[in-house]
Amino acid sequence: MLNIALFGPPGAGKGTQAKKIVEKYNLAHLSTGEMIRKEIAEGSDFGKMAAGIINKGELLSDEFVVALIENSIEHHKNVDGFLFDGFPRTVRQAEILDEMLAKTGHPLSALVSIDVPHDELMRRMLERAKIEGRADDNEEVIENRFREYRAKTLPVADHYKVQKKHFSVNGHGSVDDVFESITKILEEVW
């Protein structure tokens, strides 16, 4: 099985690349962002609580996110692996993911980091806010999301560097160029 995590700051293009990767490799796309937005749209208790946290640019607790992921893994059959998008976001989540996948006998194959300069990320996020009407994407909230990313999520890369599973690609090119860089890595690890 090919189990990969797409990694990078908000606006790096993880969702765009995930769609292409999932199609090419027959993976189940587990996007915590999509799962959470669905809960918010449905107005569930979880969704209401999540909205309050997200609208401040903060991260949801590890327990919430892990419960979403575990539930999703159990419901996907007939796939050649999983693409984790937006997970793990903390070192503790990475440790939990490693434990979950170890039980299946199919550990994480790679953590692929999409690297994009800060000013380009901000431009993309503000553009996305206009197009999608996302209330959680204004400059103040975006900057807070970047701070949260640097403080809590960036250390996840170090966790996988120690395991020699961390790979970086330049995310400042065209969608196809970035995808080609990612597929080269995946062909090596699978």
Side-chain angles (χ1 to χ4, degrees):
M1 291 190 84
L2 179 64
N3 290 323
I4 63 169
L6 269 185
F7 190 76
K14 296 180 297 291
T16 300
Q17 293 301 324
K19 290 179 181 112
K20 295 173 75 70
I21 295 165
V22 164
E23 185 177 313
K24 180 174 176 73
Y25 294 99
N26 187 38
L27 305 178
H29 181 198
L30 302 183
S31 167
T32 54
E34 286 179 16
M35 291 179 215
I36 293 163
R37 280 190 289 278
K38 180 177 179 252
E39 293 287 333
I40 292 169
E42 291 174 354
S44 71
D45 289 341
F46 174 80
K48 290 174 188 169
M49 189 184 63
I53 295 167
I54 291 168
N55 287 339
K56 291 187 271 184
E58 297 173 3
L59 295 179
L60 294 170
S61 74
D62 293 342
E63 294 77 20
F64 273 172
V65 178
V66 168
L68 281 174
I69 293 292
E70 285 180 323
N71 185 47
S72 292
I73 286 174
E74 291 172 12
H75 288 89
H76 284 88
K77 308 291 182 218
N78 303 317
V79 295
D80 293 321
F82 294 94
L83 183 146
F84 300 96
D85 176 1
F87 181 83
R89 284 199 175 169
T90 66
V91 172
R92 182 65 193 129
Q93 287 179 9
E95 293 166 350
I96 293 167
L97 177 63
D98 291 346
E99 292 166 13
M100 266 194 295
L101 294 177
K103 290 176 189 170
T104 69
H106 301 287
L108 193 71
S109 308
L111 177 111
V112 179
S113 178
I114 303 174
D115 300 332
V116 179
H118 180 81
D119 59 337
E120 174 62 13
L121 292 170
M122 181 60 80
R123 186 196 67 73
R124 289 180 185 183
M125 296 287 287
L126 292 172
E127 184 66 24
R128 181 173 80 181
K130 284 185 215 166
I131 293 169
E132 297 179 12
R134 289 171 78 162
D136 63 325
D137 283 350
N138 63 59
E139 276 194 62
E140 183 180 332
V141 171
I142 292 168
E143 282 299 342
N144 195 43
R145 289 176 70 191
F146 288 144
R147 278 190 295 280
E148 287 273 300
Y149 173 80
R150 286 189 297 273
K152 297 178 182 173
T153 306
L154 209 48
V156 172
D158 294 331
H159 175 82
Y160 286 108
K161 283 177 185 173
V162 170
Q163 297 180 27
K164 301 196 180 338
K165 294 181 178 184
H166 176 270
F167 302 88
S168 292
V169 297
N170 179 356
H172 196 55
S174 72
V175 170
D176 289 336
D177 289 344
V178 175
F179 181 65
E180 185 178 325
S181 297
I182 293 171
T183 56
K184 284 180 184 173
I185 291 166
L186 299 182
E187 297 298 327
E188 288 177 22
V189 300
W190 195 19

